[in-house]
Amino acid sequence: MVVLNRIYTRTGDNGTTALAAGGRRPKHDLRIEAFGTVDETNACIGLVRLHTADLPIDAMLGRIQNDLFDLGADLATVETDKPLPYEPLRISQGQVDRLEREIDELNADLAPLRSFVLPGGTPAAAALHLARTVCRRAERNVVELIQNPDETVSDAVVKYLNRLSDFLFVASRYINDKGALDVLWVPGQNR
């Protein structure tokens, strides 16, 4: 269990951040950017939950927030040549599978789309769209990180982020009265 009895440490005053297994990286490092953007996604979901407290979807969002901390820990724990004194926390395929089941559950009640959806409708749906776009940025950061041969990322991280953005999209439609309140794109409407 994590114990935080002092919030400021001053260790980041030199522009670096500690990784979970030791070592430090500049705060602008792509790995730090990736798990920082995951944290930003989590904060956006926290804002969504201000509107979903009495809805069944809130429990799903709560599980996702916990998963995102797991994912941040996964990204913050870089594989090293020497073994760690603990089993690192990694996102599992089971977490990805759960997201897929929840997407299917929410999507079952939605009419097929005939146009792209503009972010909006209800406040919760608009906030879900914001979370989705931040999640996509986190996914792009992680994919770029993977392109570096000196970096390692567990396989399920990209899968989870990819499914999460899909979940957030489907959830936005579900929250929008199962799509009835979706704001649809009208191509060329304002020419």
Side-chain angles (χ1 to χ4, degrees), residues 91-112:
I91 285 291
S92 71
Q93 183 60 43
Q95 288 166 297
V96 175
D97 294 342
R98 189 197 73 242
L99 268 180
E100 289 178 357
R101 286 190 304 274
E102 291 177 345
I103 291 167
D104 292 342
E105 179 184 330
L106 296 176
N107 201 46
D109 293 333
L110 302 178

Side-chain angles (χ1 to χ4, degrees), residues 117-118 120-122 125 172-173 175-184:
V117 175
L118 301 177
T122 64
S172 74
R173 296 198 63 224
I175 287 289
N176 264 345
D177 193 20
K178 299 182 179 174
L181 300 176
D182 283 345
V183 180
L184 300 179

Side-chain angles (χ1 to χ4, degrees), residues 10-171:
R10 298 186 179 121
T11 59
D13 291 352
N14 67 354
T16 64
T17 295
L19 296 173
R24 300 190 70 80
R25 297 271 180 104
K27 291 187 183 222
H28 67 272
D29 182 87
L30 187 55
R31 183 172 293 274
I32 307 306
E33 181 68 28
F35 65 73
T37 308
V38 168
D39 188 36
E40 205 177 328
T41 303
N42 205 340
C44 289
I45 292 171
L47 290 174
V48 171
R49 293 186 72 200
L50 295 175
H51 304 283
T52 61
D54 298 330
L55 302 175
I57 200 169
D58 192 64
M60 293 177 188
L61 294 170
R63 284 190 297 273
I64 288 166
Q65 283 193 290
N66 200 79
D67 285 353
L68 288 174
F69 259 79
D70 291 353
L71 197 145
D74 190 329
L75 287 171
T77 308
V78 178
E79 291 183 20
T80 62
D81 292 338
K82 63 180 188 175
L84 297 173
Y86 59 89
E87 181 68 27
L89 185 57
R90 301 290 184 209
I91 285 291
S92 71
Q93 183 60 43
Q95 288 166 297
V96 175
D97 294 342
R98 189 197 73 242
L99 268 180
E100 289 178 357
R101 286 190 304 274
E102 291 177 345
I103 291 167
D104 292 342
E105 179 184 330
L106 296 176
N107 201 46
D109 293 333
L110 302 178
L113 279 172
R114 306 264 185 261
S115 177
F116 288 106
V117 175
L118 301 177
T122 64
L128 282 160
H129 279 290
L130 177 61
R132 174 185 56 79
T133 62
V134 175
C135 180
R136 284 288 189 207
R137 181 163 29 98
E139 182 183 7
R140 290 190 303 271
N141 292 155
V142 170
V143 168
E144 185 179 354
L145 185 65
I146 291 169
Q147 301 303 310
N148 184 334
D150 296 330
E151 297 284 359
T152 57
V153 175
S154 62
D155 293 338
V157 167
V158 174
K159 289 180 188 177
Y160 188 91
L161 291 171
N162 192 19
R163 292 315 174 284
L164 178 57
S165 59
D166 294 337
F167 172 91
L168 295 168
F169 177 76
V170 170

